[in-house]
Amino acid sequence: RDEWAKRYLETTFKDMVIPLEGTEGAKMSFFRVETRGDCALAVKGGKPQPIFELKIDLDWKVEQPIEKGKSILEAKGQIQVTDFSSEDSSAPQMKLICDNQLPPGATPAFQALMDKLNGAVRSHGKTEVARILAEDFVTELKKQL
């Protein structure tokens, strides 16, 4: 099931676009997904029992339309899922890294917008990643019998 898990997570995250609440139409997407670890499926009492221990690196970007849609401000970073296991699948351990590098000549208003986008990733994007792992991944894994 190791290859299935890697393929499922890569496809799921790369095909996903998450609208970020509290922004003016910003959308979060993922452009690199790296999964390491083990994944198996046992049968106990006739029921599928997922067994996994994974570490996942998700490189993300957020695109925010600015100047009435004439331009796009982009924020980037990484979500490191440092511990996602069947022991506690409902609470993946995650670390958020934001790349706060502004474009040359950016004004202080750009910094404020960048901070707002990073805050939206922290409050909404990370939560959605946790939900996808805890609910969607585990449900799909159980179907792999």
Side-chain angles (χ1 to χ4, degrees), residues 85-132:
S85 73
S86 46
E87 299 277 316
D88 191 7
S89 64
S90 63
Q93 299 299 304
M94 295 188 284
K95 179 176 159 187
L96 176 66
I97 299 168
C98 298
D99 176 4
N100 290 318
Q101 195 167 2
L102 290 171
T107 64
F110 272 105
Q111 182 64 58
L113 181 54
M114 189 75 81
D115 292 344
K116 181 178 181 177
L117 294 176
N118 289 337
V121 170
R122 186 172 288 109
S123 63
H124 187 67
K126 256 178 75 176
T127 306
E128 185 62 10
V129 167
R131 187 200 64 75
I132 289 161

Side-chain angles (χ1 to χ4, degrees), residues 1-14 32-39 52-59 78-82 84 133 137:
R1 306 283 182 247
D2 293 352
E3 283 308 311
W4 175 87
K6 288 176 185 174
R7 208 171 38 253
Y8 176 83
L9 291 169
E10 181 160 357
T11 302
T12 299
F13 283 110
K14 282 189 172 178
R32 190 181 73 87
V33 180
E34 186 179 317
T35 304
R36 298 171 308 287
D38 300 308
C39 180
F52 57 88
E53 191 167 332
L54 300 170
K55 293 182 186 321
I56 309 157
D57 292 338
L58 301 165
D59 289 354
Q78 187 177 65
I79 294 177
Q80 295 175 340
V81 182
T82 55
F84 176 49
L133 294 173
F137 173 78

Side-chain angles (χ1 to χ4, degrees), residues 15-89:
D15 291 350
M16 174 171 298
V17 176
I18 302 171
L20 292 176
E21 294 174 12
T23 65
E24 287 75 49
K27 294 183 178 6
M28 179 181 190
S29 59
F30 302 91
F31 59 91
R32 190 181 73 87
V33 180
E34 186 179 317
T35 304
R36 298 171 308 287
D38 300 308
C39 180
L41 191 59
V43 178
K44 190 173 181 180
K47 289 184 176 179
Q49 194 73 33
I51 303 165
F52 57 88
E53 191 167 332
L54 300 170
K55 293 182 186 321
I56 309 157
D57 292 338
L58 301 165
D59 289 354
W60 57 265
K61 71 177 178 181
V62 171
E63 294 181 332
Q64 171 69 65
I66 55 174
E67 299 170 1
K68 297 181 181 166
K70 292 179 188 164
S71 298
I72 290 180
L73 175 68
E74 195 173 83
K76 291 183 177 178
Q78 187 177 65
I79 294 177
Q80 295 175 340
V81 182
T82 55
D83 183 24
F84 176 49
S85 73
S86 46
E87 299 277 316
D88 191 7
S89 64

